[in-house]
């Protein structure tokens, strides 16, 4: 029941926040404010429902060191996506035409903050963490990664390949990031840095959700395996390769830190795994 209660609580904030953001579409300042508000409320609700259902301190969302961890994750996410864009530009399939929209980037800042926080709380904070206690780290990573990819089939320009790519490069990678750090702030920052770099800076399609109006005015054309086609660069083989590399790095780190929960390990044993690492 705790899984259901936690999912419902965070999903309710996600739904209400998403509806509010959609209602003010076109108003960049309100989108920023509502996006940031949704992110803050979602984190507070997650902390409240976990404390009530598990009767413990929510160390995976501890305030101490949160800023540094978010920044660290955001820098990793930005660097990852920037590397993808540089590779696509190197083969001549991405061009910068000039400056884009500063106000559009401001709105995306709020929108991407809400998306990063709510999705990480739902998928890594609730689903991965609870499933890992029952099945172990590797099975939980596989199951939640696949579900995360399938969720993106609901996007307007979604494709089966796009869902597979998201499962590998995001679902697996972000779960591995949580396993390595045992806190949610780093994957939240990574998720935000990646998404904001894509839409807010490089102005490309994000997960099949249409063109973004970010800081740069850009055009992209070329083979779908390179550019990701209508799904955007997240469907590019470059992005999948980067996601696999980071997944391997995070899982190696998790192994070195003793954070891998064996399959069929009892919940009591799983609870002994450190929740946070500096």
């Amino acid at each position: 029941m705790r899984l259901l209660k936690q999912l419902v609580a965070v999903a309710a904030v996600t739904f209400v926040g998403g509806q509010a953001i959609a209602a003010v579409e076109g108003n960049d300042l309100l989108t920023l404010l509502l996006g940031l508000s949704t992110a803050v409320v979602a984190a507070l609700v997650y902390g409240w429902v976990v404390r009530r259902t598990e009767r413990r301190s929510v160390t995976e969302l501890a305030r101490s060191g949160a800023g540094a961890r978010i920044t660290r994750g955001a820098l990793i996410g930005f660097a990852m996506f920037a590397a993808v864009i540089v590779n696509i530009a190197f083969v001549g399939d991405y061009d910068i035409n000039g400056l884009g929209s500063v106000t559009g980037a401001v709105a995306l800042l709020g929108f991407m903050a809400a998306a990063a926080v709510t999705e990480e709380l739902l998928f890594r904070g609730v689903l991965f963490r609870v499933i890992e206690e029952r099945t172990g780290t590797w099975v939980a990573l596989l199951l939640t990664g696949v579900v995360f990819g399938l969720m993106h089939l609901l996007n307007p320009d979604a494709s089966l390949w796009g869902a597979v790519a998201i499962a590998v490069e995001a679902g697996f990678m972000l779960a591995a990031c949580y396993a390595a750090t045992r806190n949610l702030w780093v994957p939240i920052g990574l998720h935000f840095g990646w998404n904001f770099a894509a839409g807010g800076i490089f102005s490309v399609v994000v997960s099949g959700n249409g063109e973004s109006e970010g800081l740069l005015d850009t055009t992209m054309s070329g083979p779908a395996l390179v550019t990701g086609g209508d799904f955007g660069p997240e469907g590019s083989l470059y992005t999948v390769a980067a996601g696999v590399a980071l997944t391997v790095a995070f899982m190696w780190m998790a192994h070195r830190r003793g954070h891998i929960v064996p399959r069929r390990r009892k919940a009591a044993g799983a609870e002994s795994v450190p929740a946070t690492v500096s």
Side-chain angles (χ1 to χ4, degrees):
M1 287 300 295
R2 69 185 172 108
L3 174 63
L4 181 60
K5 290 177 180 178
Q6 291 172 15
L7 281 176
V8 168
V10 179
V13 177
T14 303
F15 176 77
V16 173
Q19 292 298 108
I21 293 170
V24 299
E25 185 177 1
N27 188 317
D28 299 324
L29 180 58
L30 281 180
T31 299
L32 171 66
L33 294 176
L34 286 173
L36 294 177
S37 298
T38 299
V40 171
V41 173
L44 292 174
V45 167
Y46 173 88
W48 171 79
V49 72
V50 169
R51 280 192 298 271
R52 284 186 61 88
T53 56
E54 299 186 13
R55 302 185 186 281
R56 65 175 178 85
S57 177
V58 188
T59 52
E60 69 270 24
L61 212 59
R63 294 181 183 179
S64 177
R69 291 187 174 107
I70 291 172
T71 301
R72 187 188 316 160
L75 290 174
I76 295 172
F78 174 81
M80 173 187 175
F81 204 85
V84 170
I85 291 296
V86 167
N87 276 281
I88 296 175
F90 182 75
V91 295
D93 292 332
Y94 177 86
D95 296 297
I96 299 175
N97 306 316
L99 291 178
S101 171
V102 174
T103 57
V106 167
L108 284 169
L109 183 69
F111 182 84
M112 295 306 184
V117 172
T118 55
E119 289 181 13
E120 289 313 300
L121 294 178
L122 284 168
F123 283 91
R124 264 55 70 177
V126 179
L127 283 177
F128 176 81
R129 184 175 56 80
V130 175
I131 292 173
E132 183 188 39
E133 292 178 5
R134 302 291 187 269
T135 66
T137 301
W138 289 103
V139 175
L141 183 146
L142 177 62
L143 291 177
T144 58
V146 169
V147 172
F148 191 68
L150 291 175
M151 182 191 74
H152 287 75
L153 285 174
L154 301 175
N155 294 350
D157 291 318
S159 64
L160 182 58
W161 164 247
V164 170
I166 287 291
V168 173
E169 74 204 20
F172 297 165
M173 177 189 66
L174 291 166
C177 180
Y178 174 76
T181 61
R182 290 295 160 183
N183 76 82
L184 289 167
W185 295 123
V186 178
I188 284 173
L190 200 164
H191 195 150
F192 170 77
W194 174 358
N195 277 358
F196 185 70
I201 297 177
F202 296 111
S203 304
V204 296
V205 177
V206 180
S207 305
N209 277 311
E211 296 291 340
S212 301
E213 293 184 3
L215 290 176
L216 300 175
D217 176 20
T218 66
T219 54
M220 182 177 286
S221 61
L225 288 179
V226 174
T227 65
D230 292 338
F231 191 77
E234 286 165 309
S236 167
L237 288 178
Y238 286 126
T239 315
V240 174
V244 169
L246 278 179
T247 300
V248 171
F250 283 134
M251 292 306 291
W252 175 82
M253 189 183 303
H255 175 73
R256 287 289 301 271
R257 292 176 173 179
H259 291 178
I260 302 296
V261 179
R263 188 177 180 183
R264 296 180 180 176
R265 186 174 182 177
K266 293 181 180 179
E271 289 170 0
S272 67
V273 177
T276 58
V277 171
S278 299

